[in-house]
Amino acid sequence: MDRIKQAFASKQNLLNMYYTAGYPSLHDTLPLAKALVSAGADILEIGMPFSDPLADGPVIQRSSSAALANGMNLPVLFGQLQELRAAIPETPVLLMGYLNPVLQFGMEAFLKKAAEVGVDGLILPDLPLDEYEEMYHPMFQKYGLKAVFLITPQTSEARIRRLDALSDAFLYLVSGPGTTGGTTLPDVEAQKEYFERIAAMNLKTPRLIGFGIADKTGFDRACGHADGAIIGSALIRALEDTDDAPATAARFVQAIKQA
Amino acid sequence: MTPSYQQPTARGYYGEFGGAFIPEMLYPNVEELRTRYLDILADPDFQAELQQLLRDYVGRPTPLFEAKRLSERYGTRVFLKREDLCHTGAHKINNTVGQILLAKRLGKTRIIAETGAGQHGVATATVCALMGLPCVVYMGAIDIERQAPNVARMRLLGAEVRRAESGSQTLKDATNEAIRDWISNPVDTHYIIGSVVGPHPYPDLVARLQAVISEEMRAQLLEKTGSELPNFVVACVGGGSNAAGAFYHFLDEPAVRLIAVEAAGHGINSGHSAATSVLGTPGIIHGSRTLLMQDEHGQITEPYSLSAGLDYPGIGPLHAHLGASGRAQFVSITDDEALKAVSELSRLEGIIPALETAHALAALGQIGAGPNDVVVVNLSGRGDKDLETYLKNMDKLV
């Protein structure tokens, strides 16, 4: 069984922690992964920094700019991931990022390399579904990589069914309108109807809720409507004001996971 | 459907360029636009309202002026398509008038836009005032400084101008911020994109709305020269909306040479340039696959031009295709050459052009037009907004 399936089969209320590779410093990628997993993160989503991250808010954009200035790029990241997989053998690791750097690396070369270093899945928000289905899905399957798709309150039922059929990881339920880490956090409870509508569809794919979840309260509420939640900007914000990124990351996860 | 230069494929491709590379949060908006824009544009009521506004509000048709002294200077027959005489001073309003009517038919109640030089922002603010819709315009912090008169005009027209502080603080970043606004307001808001860029169907939508320029050119050329077809059409390209409009009805006329003029800034290889056709490689920016200035790792690099309307790191996918297929010829013009063209047109013809347009004018000496050739330069905008830049560079102007 693959790591993602294993995680959803064996645990409830999964916490997927996002952070930007190469931030706060170039070589924090591995120490942060170890700290997050030891503290209880169930899935790691590692951001591949991009100069123009359209779906992300100012917090992740700042961390991406800083990571690029630190010298992060895909060859450096793949080197770090090799060590990361050795240190964290069981936790699913996803790469999240935008299509342009991936295409410059070469889609097939990228997938091959990602599989080699032990990446489990990919989130590429600007990859069109039609092109994924026709051109890339067979390539993903060849290398054993899982694709994660986003759903918003405006996504039609027919499209959700199509995404469910195509995904072999989990569906990423965007909690409401806005980019990541917005200043006005979408209220998970206010989106109850949307989450219930999707829960009632009896999809084959598990669901995690993301965007605007910043603390234990938000996480617990999200877990009431899906298989878990994704937190990113709130962690990055905490990392902006610290000299000890791994310790801060560990405390952040402990505060969410505490009973 | 057979793709042509005018018509992209169903997924918005011109050759290998185009498409719609957008996050799911934008999908319903873009899909609604994609499925409805052609029917709305074809609707007789829409067309009647559009044509009336173009005539009575924008001031169309704009004149096609034979520039005798400029012709003498370059030893060829030069006509200027006077888009600078449109209401608000540039071709941009052709598109915003069309898109505001489209937005109303889509039931949208709020308008957002991005702007570089401010001409598109002013044109959007203008039509929002006309239709009574609230308007937010995103503009790079640097552009806000260098295009102050247009910022004042937008505010006077009732628009809110929001500063884009990220990245290079110019057009690219204003576009990013506008897209984020649209992601955050997916139901009530229409995003009026100002150039032939962005996800499908925007490049086609904007090109169709700007095509009125070349449609009028053909009729006017027939009247003035006895032929609908010129030998050359010359237009500047940032994203490329005025060029798309000027080229549109000549795209399938191989006898007409299409000249797209880019900003070389301090020089193509100076590290301070916006000449995308030379410096760019295929990549994805703002939702479409096109030529793009980027580093080896696919990070978008920051372009430079003295002109705020041309310092965009990409070009529209149609233009990328025109370049790749050889249908259009790309020419690069430096800041200094453009400034020289400003004083030349001002003194020879009594017309002060926008800095963007001056790039197209500066190409006149490079296209190889002979005494019997008819050359149309699309005079995309007037220079009032650039007076401060011209004042700062008086030594290069006189």
Side-chain angles (χ1 to χ4, degrees), chain A residues 35-144:
Chain A
L36 290 165
V37 170
S38 311
D42 302 296
I43 301 175
L44 294 182
E45 181 185 332
I46 301 178
M48 304 177 281
F50 181 48
S51 54
D52 296 80
L54 290 183
D56 287 299
V59 174
I60 288 178
Q61 175 156 21
R62 274 201 302 276
S63 69
S64 297
S65 302
L68 291 172
N70 289 341
M72 180 49 70
N73 57 46
L74 285 178
V76 169
L77 177 57
F78 282 132
Q80 294 180 346
L81 290 172
Q82 193 108 41
E83 289 178 61
L84 191 147
R85 180 44 82 199
I88 301 162
E90 283 164 19
T91 307
V93 172
L94 307 167
L95 291 181
M96 182 272 167
Y98 295 83
L99 200 50
N100 196 49
V102 170
L103 291 184
Q104 300 313 313
F105 194 90
M107 180 62 92
E108 178 139 22
F110 174 83
L111 296 176
K112 185 166 183 279
K113 192 73 198 171
E116 273 171 23
V117 299
V119 168
D120 301 286
L122 299 169
I123 308 178
L124 299 169
D126 57 348
L127 172 59
L129 192 56
D130 288 334
E131 305 204 2
Y132 171 74
E133 196 168 8
E134 286 165 27
M135 294 159 69
Y136 300 130
H137 189 201
M139 227 184 263
F140 273 60
Q141 287 181 314
K142 178 177 167 189
Y143 295 104

Side-chain angles (χ1 to χ4, degrees), chain A residues 49-56 61 68 73 99-101 103-104 125-126 128 130-131 134 150 152 154-155 159 177-178, chain B residues 11 13 20-25 27-28 166 172 176 179-180 183-184 186-187 282-284 292 294 297-300:
Chain A
F50 181 48
S51 54
D52 296 80
L54 290 183
D56 287 299
Q61 175 156 21
L68 291 172
N73 57 46
L99 200 50
N100 196 49
L103 291 184
Q104 300 313 313
D126 57 348
D130 288 334
E131 305 204 2
E134 286 165 27
L150 274 59
T152 79
Q154 277 75 42
T155 308
R159 191 166 164 87
Chain B
R11 284 188 198 164
Y13 277 92
F21 296 85
I22 47 168
E24 184 64 28
M25 294 83 96
Y27 181 82
S166 60
K172 167 178 84 90
N176 289 341
I179 290 173
R180 287 178 178 147
I183 286 172
S184 305
V187 179
I284 292 165
L292 162 67
Q294 57 187 325
H297 298 297
Q299 307 297 338
I300 297 171

Side-chain angles (χ1 to χ4, degrees), chain A residues 135-169:
Chain A
M135 294 159 69
Y136 300 130
H137 189 201
M139 227 184 263
F140 273 60
Q141 287 181 314
K142 178 177 167 189
Y143 295 104
L145 288 159
K146 321 293 175 192
V148 173
F149 300 113
L150 274 59
I151 285 174
T152 79
Q154 277 75 42
T155 308
S156 70
E157 179 172 344
R159 191 166 164 87
I160 293 172
R161 297 254 175 234
R162 191 170 158 216
L163 292 166
D164 181 45
L166 271 174
S167 178
D168 31 26

Side-chain angles (χ1 to χ4, degrees), chain B residues 19-175:
Chain B
F21 296 85
I22 47 168
E24 184 64 28
M25 294 83 96
L26 286 179
Y27 181 82
N29 277 320
V30 172
E31 183 65 3
E32 180 185 33
L33 197 59
R34 187 186 72 79
T35 53
R36 295 194 55 195
Y37 83 111
L38 289 176
D39 288 343
I40 293 175
L41 290 186
D43 178 57
D45 290 342
F46 176 89
Q47 279 300 329
E49 201 177 349
L50 176 62
Q51 296 309 326
Q52 194 210 343
L53 281 173
L54 287 175
R55 188 183 68 232
D56 299 340
Y57 189 71
V58 174
R60 305 207 70 89
T62 57
L64 184 71
F65 171 67
E66 183 162 11
K68 295 270 172 58
R69 300 187 68 207
L70 197 65
S71 297
E72 199 177 314
R73 162 82 176 78
Y74 286 101
T76 187
R77 206 172 165 195
V78 180
F79 288 85
L80 302 174
K81 180 61 174 161
R82 297 292 310 274
E83 294 301 295
D84 60 317
L85 295 180
C86 288
H87 179 48
T88 71
H91 70 288
K92 292 289 187 187
I93 198 161
N94 302 327
N95 170 49
T96 60
V97 160
Q99 284 207 45
I100 200 88
L101 297 180
L102 185 71
K104 278 174 62 184
R105 279 159 177 80
L106 293 171
K108 304 296 181 178
T109 54
R110 175 177 178 267
I111 299 295
I112 57 170
E114 85 297 333
T115 198
Q119 290 303 91
H120 173 60
V122 168
T124 306
T126 298
V127 297
C128 287
L130 180 69
M131 297 295 168
L133 291 180
C135 178
V136 174
V137 179
Y138 290 88
M139 190 168 186
I142 288 176
D143 291 340
I144 285 180
E145 302 311 321
R146 60 180 171 173
Q147 300 287 342
N150 273 344
V151 176
R153 290 160 84 196
M154 286 184 266
R155 291 187 172 140
L156 195 57
L157 290 160
E160 179 190 343
V161 180
R162 288 192 191 162
R163 294 167 74 88
E165 306 266 11
S166 60
S168 55
Q169 306 187 351
T170 59
L171 180 55
K172 167 178 84 90
D173 311 287
T175 308

